Amino acid sequence: MESDKIWTKDFIILLSSNFFVSLSFYLLMTSMAAYAIQEFHVTESKAGLAVSIFIIGALVSRLFSGKFIDVIGRKKMLFSGLILFLIGTISYLFVNNISFLMIGRFIHGLGFGISTTVIMTVNMASIPKSKRGEGIGYFSLSTAAGTAIGPFLALYLTHQFTYQTMFIYCIVFSAIALGSSVFLKIHEIDLTPEQKANIKKSFRFKDFYDKEALPVSLLMFISGIAYSGVISFINSYAMGMNLTKAASFFFVVYAIFLFVCRPIAGKLFDSKGENIVVYPSFAFFAISLFFITIANNGFILLLGGVFLAIGYGNIMSSMQTIIGKVTPPHRLGLAISTLFICMDAGSGTGPFVLGLIAEKFGFQTMYGVLAITVLFLIPFYYFVHGKKASAVKTL
């Protein structure tokens, strides 16, 4: 009989491992460009590549980790990913030129892609089906905490100490994530020899993504582009609007309201069905972008942060839960990989595409376009999943 507990030992270990991986990721993501420019005197474009090559590494590893997770074994792949993540972090201490930095960032990205794919797959499989919305809502707060604490810690460490000190902190965080995983009890999927042989020898394009997960994943691709417009340009936009003080609190407000609304949304998801959460979340996401567009004072800008948490924050966890709902256990790893690939692709391509729009038409136009785009995701969701979703979750 399936246990209805969410807060098990394994759930807490997975949550803590995900937090420390996310903390290390966001700490370095917000400081790597400045580090490359100051340490190696490279151009802004090369510094940007030092940031984005991490995402490229993550995308590459997600393609293969989703396909081979149950062939290699979930525990083996998790340890492999976390060890690679730790090696990538340690490499920063020995980097002496931009080329070695690029190699280290790519390796680090490989480890990040593998470990986060497996962590989410194992966690989703361990949460009782009747409480998946609530469980994933709680679990995703570990990523939210990394989002809020990482950039703040990066600024503090680099201003008070050195980049080397920051790297040492990241090594410690990575080691904790790896060490805690030793105590995990992971349920493995037993594939038949024929199934394993088919997976190993089949390298068609469709074997690297899950067909059922793709429509929902495309929603996250577009949402990821819109969200990247906020995280990449909110500071530059605020400087032009003389709202830098408010902008410094933007993601603090975002994180606070994320912690408040996600557990509530998760319980609603489980008791009333996904549509009652997803439709309003897309609307709130569009409203947040609208408030950013019209912001002429700090209060309106921070109000955008509130609605961003209620909107995008719940979209992300809801899409993950829907993936778990529509995917059979033996394809869950591939489905999670498909979702993350689309999210990463949106986050990776968004700043470049949106930067071109902002350069030509201005930030206000860019955010206005994003608000309208997100509104169109409401009927998109209706056709790809909403119309067939049950109003009340079948237990």
Side-chain angles (χ1 to χ4, degrees), residues 80-278:
S80 299
L82 289 173
I83 289 170
L84 207 56
F85 190 77
L86 179 59
I87 290 171
T89 311
I90 293 172
S91 73
Y92 298 129
L93 294 177
F94 304 99
V95 165
N96 56 15
N97 60 58
I98 190 66
S99 297
F100 283 146
L101 178 63
M102 297 287 189
I103 294 170
R105 290 289 289 166
F106 185 76
I107 293 171
H108 202 191
L110 290 174
F112 178 80
I114 295 170
S115 57
T116 51
T117 299
V118 181
I119 285 172
M120 180 53 71
T121 302
V122 172
N123 176 68
M124 192 175 291
S126 68
I127 297 173
K129 290 182 179 179
S130 61
K131 293 189 175 181
R132 244 175 206 172
E134 183 181 357
I136 291 175
Y138 285 128
F139 184 81
S140 59
L141 291 177
S142 61
T143 302
T147 306
I149 298 171
F152 170 80
L153 190 59
L155 288 173
Y156 175 77
L157 291 174
T158 53
H159 286 170
Q160 298 296 322
F161 302 99
T162 64
Y163 283 106
Q164 294 295 99
T165 302
M166 182 183 70
F167 295 147
I168 291 171
Y169 269 80
C170 288
I171 291 169
V172 173
F173 297 150
S174 303
I176 293 172
L178 175 61
S180 62
S181 298
V182 173
F183 303 99
L184 275 174
K185 184 178 179 181
I186 297 177
H187 173 70
E188 303 284 358
I189 298 294
D190 294 323
L191 300 177
T192 65
E194 292 78 11
Q195 286 176 319
K196 288 184 178 181
N198 287 335
I199 292 172
K200 288 179 180 178
K201 71 181 182 181
S202 180
F203 280 89
R204 296 168 298 179
F205 177 72
K206 68 178 184 178
D207 296 320
F208 290 90
Y209 70 92
D210 185 82
K211 182 180 177 182
E212 296 298 322
L214 190 58
V216 170
S217 299
L218 290 175
L219 280 166
M220 283 311 303
F221 170 72
I222 301 170
S223 298
I225 291 175
Y227 181 66
S228 75
V230 179
I231 61 174
S232 300
F233 300 113
I234 193 70
N235 287 332
S236 300
Y237 175 59
M239 287 175 64
M241 302 292 288
N242 295 316
L243 298 173
T244 50
K245 187 175 181 180
S248 65
F249 291 98
F250 185 89
F251 286 105
V252 175
V253 170
Y254 171 79
I256 290 171
F257 278 86
L258 203 58
F259 271 80
V260 173
C261 70
R262 266 196 181 168
I264 297 171
K267 289 182 178 181
L268 278 173
F269 189 109
D270 291 329
S271 61
K272 303 294 184 181
E274 52 263 54
N275 288 350
I276 199 170
V277 174
V278 176

Side-chain angles (χ1 to χ4, degrees), residues 284-310:
F284 288 137
F285 189 12
I287 290 169
S288 75
L289 293 165
F290 173 73
F291 275 125
I292 294 171
T293 303
I294 66 169
N296 56 11
N297 59 62
F299 176 76
I300 294 178
L301 185 67
L302 293 179
L303 204 56
V306 172
F307 281 100
L308 186 68
I310 304 172

